[in-house]
């Protein structure tokens, strides 16, 4: 009886603590957007910060200034897409002030993007490179510019080596 209870509790913990479906270095799921706030899309950049957001969450609201500061720090090297499943009317008013050349707000009305990324907590954030490979994921409030810079530098070398190895392997065939 004790063993059955322990196994049952372990299964509950495993299902409730399931992490998002993101593997660093692998492609991220597709983002399905029907509408952009004020039809405004951020400029392309080397890295994209995808932030899952809800306006009623104090943690999400606190994370936005940090995200803005990080995007500004990378001076055009990173953009941000804030994704919400709220109605345009509900979230648009509070998020309009965050729009700029490198930050856009997208509405995931049918929740496909939330489902594909298997988001279970917010403010969840995924940073991917131009090839849509994940380089970082976690709580948006825990991002740090210096840590991200080191990570980006390391990921460029890692991905460059992968591409170089692939070309070498293709030549040997």
């Amino acid at each position: 009886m004790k063993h059955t209870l322990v196994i049952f509790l372990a299964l509950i913990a495993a299902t409730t603590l399931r992490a998002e479906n993101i593997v660093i270095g692998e492609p991220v799921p597709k983002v399905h957007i029907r509408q952009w706030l004020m039809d405004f899309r951020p400029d392309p950049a080397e890295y994209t910060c995808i932030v899952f957001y809800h306006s009623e969450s104090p943690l999400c609201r606190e994370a936005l200034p940090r995200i803005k500061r990080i995007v500004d720090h990378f001076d055009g090297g990173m953009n941000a897409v804030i994704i919400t499943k709220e109605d345009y009317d509900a979230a648009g008013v509070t998020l309009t002030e965050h729009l700029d050349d490198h930050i856009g707000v997208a509405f995931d009305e049918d929740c496909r993007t939330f489902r594909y990324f298997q988001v279970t907590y917010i403010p969840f954030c995924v940073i991917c490179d131009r090839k849509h490979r994940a380089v970082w994921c976690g709580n948006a409030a825990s991002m740090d510019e210096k840590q991200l810079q080191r990570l980006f530098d390391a990921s460029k070398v890692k991905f460059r080596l992968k591409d170089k190895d692939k070309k070498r392997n293709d030549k040997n065939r």
Side-chain angles (χ1 to χ4, degrees):
M1 183 76 166
K2 273 186 177 179
H3 296 292
T4 306
L5 182 59
V6 170
I7 291 171
F8 178 71
L9 291 175
L11 286 172
I12 289 174
T15 56
T16 58
L17 296 175
R18 188 180 78 186
E20 281 63 21
N21 191 26
I22 304 300
V23 177
I24 302 301
E26 295 295 320
V28 298
K30 290 187 178 187
V31 175
H32 294 272
I33 302 303
R34 288 192 175 196
Q35 186 175 20
W36 290 86
L37 181 58
M38 299 175 60
D39 293 325
F40 188 85
R41 294 180 181 171
D43 291 341
E46 183 67 27
Y47 295 96
T48 297
C49 178
I50 303 168
V51 182
F52 293 90
Y53 177 89
H54 195 280
S55 62
E56 292 181 12
S57 166
L59 291 175
C60 287
R61 290 191 308 269
E62 290 171 17
L64 289 182
R66 177 181 294 265
I67 292 164
K68 170 95 170 108
R69 189 181 75 232
I70 289 171
V71 167
D72 289 346
H73 171 81
F74 288 103
D75 193 30
M78 177 188 284
N79 65 23
V81 176
I82 300 166
I83 299 178
T84 183
K85 54 186 174 180
E86 297 175 86
D87 290 333
Y88 189 97
D89 295 335
V93 174
T94 60
L95 291 171
T96 301
E97 69 182 270
H98 298 286
L99 294 176
D100 69 20
D101 290 341
H102 301 290
I103 299 177
V105 176
F107 293 90
D108 185 25
E109 293 169 347
D110 57 4
C111 302
R112 288 171 62 187
T113 304
F114 270 77
R115 277 195 315 270
Y116 291 160
F117 278 78
Q118 296 180 358
V119 175
T120 55
Y121 68 89
I122 54 174
F124 180 67
C125 176
V126 176
I127 299 176
C128 57
D129 64 9
R130 272 190 196 268
K131 295 181 179 179
H132 304 284
R133 295 177 296 212
V135 294
W136 187 88
C137 65
N139 186 326
S142 68
M143 293 191 306
D144 174 73
E145 296 95 324
K146 291 178 184 176
Q147 175 191 25
L148 289 175
Q149 185 64 58
R150 287 191 301 270
L151 184 64
F152 293 164
D153 293 344
S155 69
K156 284 180 186 177
V157 170
K158 177 181 169 186
F159 293 138
R160 203 174 312 124
L161 288 175
K162 278 187 174 180
D163 293 342
K164 186 178 176 181
D165 289 341
K166 184 178 177 183
K167 288 177 186 175
R168 184 177 52 220
N169 290 339
D170 289 344
K171 285 183 182 178
N172 291 337
R173 286 185 184 176

